[in-house]
């Protein structure tokens, strides 16, 4: 989230699209209710289903799963056509005025540079014209046909309300009603907030869905202001933190990157990370990349990371492919190329697509290790449960170790909320039986491997035997020790950058925040964006001052928000070019003639006068991007793409299947279904009473929602002879599930490109373990393909068929 | 007497069936005090309150855990969990998931000991922590030594291990995440991911 949960009360208009906050984030949605009750805010919901969020909306519009880009581009077109643009914001705080290279273009659904063979674009033309001064060329009058604004106008011109209706099935009158409501928020004194979740990410073009709304929000001037923002409602309680700390194949902590093979040494790696400002006076904060990287390496390898050995650069893995993400790992596993696999608090047998492939892949492992507080289907993938897990145990040679870990109530440490608040918690209970903290488990595994390398030697032991592991008890690092390591400290005295005679931090002391991180080896910092979380003042994540001066919803004294305790990102954009708040009644930051003051921690240097440093300091341009250059693989603007399994062809270019640059493995491509065999669109979702696959272990939640069901419209029920409570079978080209049918008015058939499209809704909370009745998940059916940029699987739009059926059979294990 | 008593403090005081004198100080008559004295002690009076956050979603609602016993003595038993009224986001409220957190902690399918499923077997059998950890370390070392790629064909050091993979969680602490990152990245495991991917 760019803003926080408590900030939502400041909004005038909420759009929930790509999410269902009332059911999936109930206590956060309370702030929407607050805004409605106390500010007269209105709520728009755009969703394939009439959800509980929709039930309290002022306007609800249906949309076909997987068609959001067309809707969003249509909205941008409408705003431009009708002059619903926050012009001062757009001209100054976005790249609208920057000129794009002449070679860039878009035709027939594809951008310039497409290579069908490689399924990739050559993105070199998707960039600015650079002038002789090294800065991007601009036309502040927005007259130049090559300026971003004019290219955007041209790009969205095809998405008329009629086209939106044709692609999305959203009735034109609903679309126009919503457009008018959204358009009102282009004035500087009205704001809209966007709340979205996996309804936008779980698509083969998920990143572009989000881009679409971000662009709309920029055009309306709604980023960086109170009650505005792009608010990704993250899923699990520490999904945000695990991403921030970089637990991904291609990331290091704080959004640094794992090097690739092409980056043969540290200087080559750094050479593409200079982040020279593209406009005069701009901060381009990533210019500090080297400091963050060197300090991360010092946190990892201490004295073994030196200037002479490139800070141990070669201890790091170099990637030969963009990503060893989950989908690739299961693909490799299924080809017999993975031997050992760990699942720490993760239940992939239900969480990834195409369960048949997952079972086959897990069966080829030598050893599977699960670390979890609860039983999981993954740990028992080899156990026969009749129709619910129909496997031949004797034929599966995988050894499985199931390790019991503690849960939230028994451990201490911090979790990062969706609003980036890093909140500390304490242990309230003693772990059951022999369950152990994850930190103990990781330390024990590490110490044993290190011992083996010390005594036996082996292949490249250096990064293992030299890993910095200085804890009071090597066998169980304490949360405090680890948190301090994340924050970072001075190894030798850190001097003031402007006055080298002045010591800022004594050796051994915690750094105040990331402004003190250095690239000369004098500091450590495990995750630079978290720096400030535990400094010499103590554990700032544990702060609990819930005062909120003037009721802005900022709560600066409650926990610690990254970065630098900032609550609303890009907050300099809350004020106009002169530094006056756009909306005096919703002041966030203001220039007082000398410095920025207000309710939040300013995003830019506090003494940067208005008109110099622009608000988007992480971008080399200093401004936000309506045109995202070559940052995303599938285009600098979002363009309509169908899901890989679609009921209607891509109306812009029927030859384009799915996302033309998404990675598809051959065996998965062969398993895509067609609309002839599988005429209905299916989508997955969560229920209020359940949380993924955890609460089915919980007796209370299992009583509240005991049984797997699927939802169909009354029309589809009639067509198929299905009544509420009937058993039905739903199948795709990859698998089949049986469920109770809920025949509902919440789903209605849509008309897309002249064709009637039925949507089948499939909730995701059941499996074959736990207190609830046995059931299935949508992942038995979904395609094994991910987003072209981040590989998030396409769970939200796929094709199925459905028929009346009989009850599934229980297996030998009751 | 000017007693500044919070709701919780009052419940504690009255529920504990404390001496009639303090109830008298609150303005209770003797009859009420006598009544209070034989009422069953309020369940939460002798418990320890611990601040925590809901484990489920990223709204990150504040909760208070009530337990008997002491975590430091290894005998803290959780008897109740409720929303933290001081928390700015949830202000004491919880959704149907958060409200049932205690049943997660006490779930019958909580794991309590390491288990091993042998190749081809149809059941789990107990194994000691030592044996389990030794087995893991051995399997990883052997696999790493056999399959670790130190250099690519061009002779560039790549230090990549792709035959062992690690999926990290989504509800563990940042401190666990950091410890996990250190170990996994130091080993050179390329297939490292977490639930944020889905
Ligand atoms: S109580 Fe509900 S809304 Fe609050 S964090 Fe837990 S799951 Fe989310």
């Amino acid at each position: 989230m760019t803003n926080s949960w408590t900030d939502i009360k400041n909004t005038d208009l909420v759009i929930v699209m790509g999410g269902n906050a009332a059911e999936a984030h109930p206590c956060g949605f309370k702030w929407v209710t607050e805004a409605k009750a106390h500010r007269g805010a209105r709520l728009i919901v755009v969703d394939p289903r009439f959800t509980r969020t929709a039930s309290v909306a002022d306007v609800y519009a249906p949309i076909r799963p997987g068609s959001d880009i067309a809707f969003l581009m249509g909205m941008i077109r409408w705003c431009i056509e009708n002059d619903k643009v926050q012009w001062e914001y757009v001209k100054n705080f976005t790249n609208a005025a920057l000129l794009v290279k002449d070679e860039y273009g878009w035709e027939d659904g594809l951008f310039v540079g497409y290579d069908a063979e490689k399924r990739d674009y050559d993105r070199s033309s998707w960039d600015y014209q650079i002038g002789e001064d090294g800065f991007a060329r601009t036309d502040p009058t927005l007259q130049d046909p090559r300026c971003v604004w004019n290219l955007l106008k041209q790009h969205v011109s095809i998405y008329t309300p009629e086209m939106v209706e044709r692609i999305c099935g959203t009735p034109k009158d609903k679309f126009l009603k919503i457009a008018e409501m959204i358009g009102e928020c282009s004035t500087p004194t009205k704001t809209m907030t966007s709340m979205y979740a996996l309804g936008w990410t779980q698509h083969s073009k998920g990143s572009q869905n989000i881009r679409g709304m971000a662009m709309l929000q920029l055009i309306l001037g709604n980023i960086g202001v109170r009650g505005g923002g792009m608010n990704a409602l993250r899923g699990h309680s520490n999904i945000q933190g695990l991403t921030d700390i970089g637990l991904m194949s291609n990331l290091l902590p704080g959004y640094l990157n794992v090097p690739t093979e092409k980056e043969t040494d540290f200087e080559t790696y750094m050479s593409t990370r200079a982040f020279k400002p593209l406009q005069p006076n701009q901060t381009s904060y990533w210019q500090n990349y080297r400091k963050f990287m060197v300090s991360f390496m010092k946190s990892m390898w201490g004295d073994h990371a030196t200037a002479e050995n490139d800070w141990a650069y070669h201890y790091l893995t170099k990637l030969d492919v963009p990503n060893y993400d989950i989908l690739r790992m299961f693909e490799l596993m299924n080809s017999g190329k993975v031997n050992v696999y760990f699942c720490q608090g993760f239940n992939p047998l239900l969480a990834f697509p195409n369960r048949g492939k997952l079972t086959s892949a897990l069966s080829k492992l030598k050893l599977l290790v699960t670390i979890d507080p609860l039983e999981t289907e993954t740990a028992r993938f080899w156990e026969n449960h009749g129709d619910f897990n129909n496997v031949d145990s004797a034929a599966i040679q995988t050894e499985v170790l199931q390790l019991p870990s503690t849960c939230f109530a028994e451990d201490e440490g911090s979790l990062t909320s969706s609003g980036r608040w890093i909140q500390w918690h304490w242990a309230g209970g003693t772990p059951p039986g022999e369950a152990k903290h994850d930190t103990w488990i990781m330390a024990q595994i590490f110490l044993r491997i290190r011992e083996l390398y010390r005594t036996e030697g082996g292949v490249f032991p250096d990064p293992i035997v030299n890993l910095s592991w200085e804890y009071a008890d090597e066998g169980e690092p304490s949360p405090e020790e680890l948190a301090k390591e994340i924050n970072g400290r001075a190894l030798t005295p850190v001097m003031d950058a402007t006055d080298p005679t002045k010591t800022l931090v004594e050796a051994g002391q915690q750094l105040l925040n990331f402004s003190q991180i250095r690239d000369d080896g004098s500091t450590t910092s495990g995750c630079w964006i978290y720096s400030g979380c535990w400094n010499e003042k103590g554990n700032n994540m544990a702060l609990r001052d819930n005062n909120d001066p003037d009721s802005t919803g900022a709560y600066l004294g409650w926990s610690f928000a990254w970065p630098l305790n900032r609550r609303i990102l890009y907050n300099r954009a809350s004020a106009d070019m002169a530094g006056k708040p756009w909306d005096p009644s919703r002041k966030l930051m203001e220039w007082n003639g000398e410095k920025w003051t207000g309710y939040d921690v300013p995003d830019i240097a506090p003494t940067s006068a208005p008109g110099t440093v622009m608000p988007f300091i992480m971008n080399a341009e200093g401004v936000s991007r309506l045109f995202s250059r070559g940052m995303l693989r599938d285009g600098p603007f979002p363009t309509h793409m169908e899901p890989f399994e679609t009921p209607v062809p891509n109306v812009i270019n029927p030859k384009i299947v799915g996302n033309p640059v998404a990675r598809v493995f051959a065996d998965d491509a062969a398993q895509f279904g067609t609309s002839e065999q599988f005429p209905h669109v299916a989508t997955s979702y969560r229920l209020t009473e359940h949380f993924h696959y955890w609460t089915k272990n919980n007796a209370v939640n299992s009583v509240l929602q005991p049984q797997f069901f699927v939802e169909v419209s009354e029309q589809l029920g009639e067509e198929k002879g299905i009544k509420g409570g009937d058993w039905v079978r739903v199948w795709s080209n990859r698998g089949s599930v049986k469920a109770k049918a809920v025949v509902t008015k919440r789903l209605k058939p849509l008309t897309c490109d002249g064709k009637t499209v039925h949507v089948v809704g499939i909730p995701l909370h059941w499996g074959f373990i736990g207190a609830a009745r046995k059931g299935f998940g949508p992942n038995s059916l979904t395609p094994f393909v991910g987003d072209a940029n981040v590989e998030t699987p396409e769970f939200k739009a796929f094709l199925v068929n459905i028929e009346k059926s009989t009850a599934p059979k229980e297996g030998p294990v009751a | 007497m000017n007693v500044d008593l919070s709701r919780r403090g009052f419940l504690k005081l009255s529920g504990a069936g404390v001496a009639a004198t303090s109830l008298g100080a609150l303005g209770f008559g003797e009859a009420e005090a006598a009544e209070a004295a034989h009422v069953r002690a309020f369940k939460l009076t002798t418990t320890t309150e611990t601040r925590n956050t809901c484990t489920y979603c990223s709204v990150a609602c504040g909760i208070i855990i009530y337990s008997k016993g002491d975590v430091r003595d290894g005998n803290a038993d959780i008897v109740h969990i409720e929303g933290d009224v001081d928390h700015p986001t949830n202000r004491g409220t919880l959704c149907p998931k958060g409200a049932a957190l205690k049943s997660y902690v006490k779930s019958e399918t909580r794991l309590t000991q390491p288990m091993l499923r042998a190749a081809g077997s149809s059941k789990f059998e107990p194994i000691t922590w030592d044996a389990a950890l030794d087995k893991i370390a051995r399997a990883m070392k052997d696999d790493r030594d056999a399959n670790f790629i130190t250099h690519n064909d061009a002779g560039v050091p790549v230090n990549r291990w792709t035959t062992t993979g690690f999926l990290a969680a989504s509800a563990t602490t940042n401190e666990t995440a950091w410890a996990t990152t250190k170990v996994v990245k130091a080993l050179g495991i390329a297939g490292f991911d977490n639930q944020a991917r889905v």
Side-chain angles (χ1 to χ4, degrees), chain B residues 135-174:
Chain B
K135 191 174 171 61
I136 290 168
R138 186 77 261 166
M140 290 177 81
K141 168 91 171 27
D142 289 352
D143 187 56
R144 189 176 181 277
D145 282 349
N147 298 306
F148 189 79
I149 307 166
T150 60
H151 293 78
N152 65 10
D153 293 343
V156 176
V158 295
N159 297 326
R160 195 164 61 224
W161 183 17
T162 61
T163 53
T164 284
F166 197 104
L167 277 182
S170 47
T172 52
T173 62
N174 292 315

Side-chain angles (χ1 to χ4, degrees), chain B residues 15-78:
Chain B
V18 287
T21 46
S22 57
L23 286 172
L26 288 167
F28 286 83
E30 267 179 41
E32 286 91 340
E35 179 68 19
H38 75 260
V39 169
R40 183 169 69 95
F42 186 57
K43 217 169 138 188
L44 303 181
T45 47
T46 55
T47 55
T48 303
E49 298 177 21
T50 308
R51 288 156 175 165
N52 205 303
T53 41
C54 175
T55 189
Y56 293 121
C57 92
S58 66
V59 176
C61 294
I63 55 172
I64 297 176
I65 298 175
Y66 295 84
S67 46
K68 292 197 189 293
D70 194 321
V71 174
R72 288 160 299 189
D73 298 339
N75 61 7
D77 182 31
I78 295 173

Side-chain angles (χ1 to χ4, degrees), chain B residues 4 7 20 27 66 82 87 113 127 132 144 146 152 165 176 180 195:
Chain B
D4 183 11
R7 179 189 66 99
Y66 295 84
E82 69 182 21
H87 197 285
Q113 61 176 332
I127 180 173
R144 189 176 181 277
N152 65 10
T176 292
T180 304
Q195 195 121 20

Side-chain angles (χ1 to χ4, degrees), chain A residues 585-800:
Chain A
S585 77
R586 254 182 311 205
K587 175 174 123 172
L588 181 58
M589 302 309 304
E590 185 170 21
W591 177 255
N592 71 1
E594 282 166 22
K595 61 177 197 300
W596 290 94
T597 59
Y599 297 105
D600 203 351
V601 178
D603 231 322
I604 62 176
T607 52
S608 302
T612 57
V613 178
M614 290 297 163
F616 295 85
I617 57 164
M618 301 312 286
N619 292 352
E621 304 90 318
V623 293
S624 58
R625 299 184 184 120
L626 295 171
F627 176 89
S628 64
R629 307 166 63 198
M631 303 289 166
L632 295 182
R633 289 188 60 235
D634 43 4
F637 291 130
T639 190
H640 168 62
M641 296 171 260
E642 287 294 347
F644 274 90
E645 293 188 338
T646 174
V648 289
N650 187 322
V651 297
I652 297 167
N653 180 349
K655 288 205 203 92
I656 301 176
V657 176
N659 182 329
V661 297
R663 180 192 69 199
V664 189
F665 298 114
D667 54 330
D668 303 311
Q671 279 193 300
F672 288 140
T674 63
S675 62
E676 285 75 46
Q677 293 166 284
F678 304 96
H680 313 305
V681 176
T683 192
S684 69
Y685 56 92
R686 299 215 266 124
L687 304 171
T688 313
E689 298 79 6
H690 276 298
F691 192 84
H692 292 264
Y693 328 104
W694 299 357
T695 45
K696 65 181 167 56
N697 288 287
N698 182 323
V700 175
N701 299 102
S702 298
V703 167
L704 293 173
Q705 281 286 8
Q707 188 163 22
F708 177 47
F709 62 86
V710 299
E711 283 187 71
V712 295
S713 66
E714 292 175 339
Q715 292 82 349
L716 183 59
E718 182 135 327
E719 207 176 281
K720 298 279 182 176
I722 297 165
K723 292 191 301 301
D726 281 350
W727 280 104
V728 292
R729 183 171 86 95
V730 180
W731 72 104
S732 75
N733 211 21
R734 292 158 294 272
S736 170
V737 301
K738 285 182 169 182
K740 286 277 183 165
V742 169
V743 180
T744 172
K745 291 189 198 314
R746 290 188 293 214
L747 283 165
K748 294 239 168 17
L750 298 162
T751 307
C752 300
D753 202 18
K755 189 173 165 183
T756 302
V757 175
H758 291 287
V759 178
V760 178
I762 309 178
L764 52 76
H765 303 292
W766 287 272
F768 55 84
I769 302 283
R773 289 192 193 145
K774 290 184 188 184
F776 300 88
N779 80 322
S780 293
L781 309 171
T782 53
F784 200 87
V785 64
D787 169 74
N789 292 286
V790 296
E791 304 298 350
T792 298
E794 186 151 74
F795 273 111
K796 289 292 183 263
F798 54 100
L799 292 179
V800 296

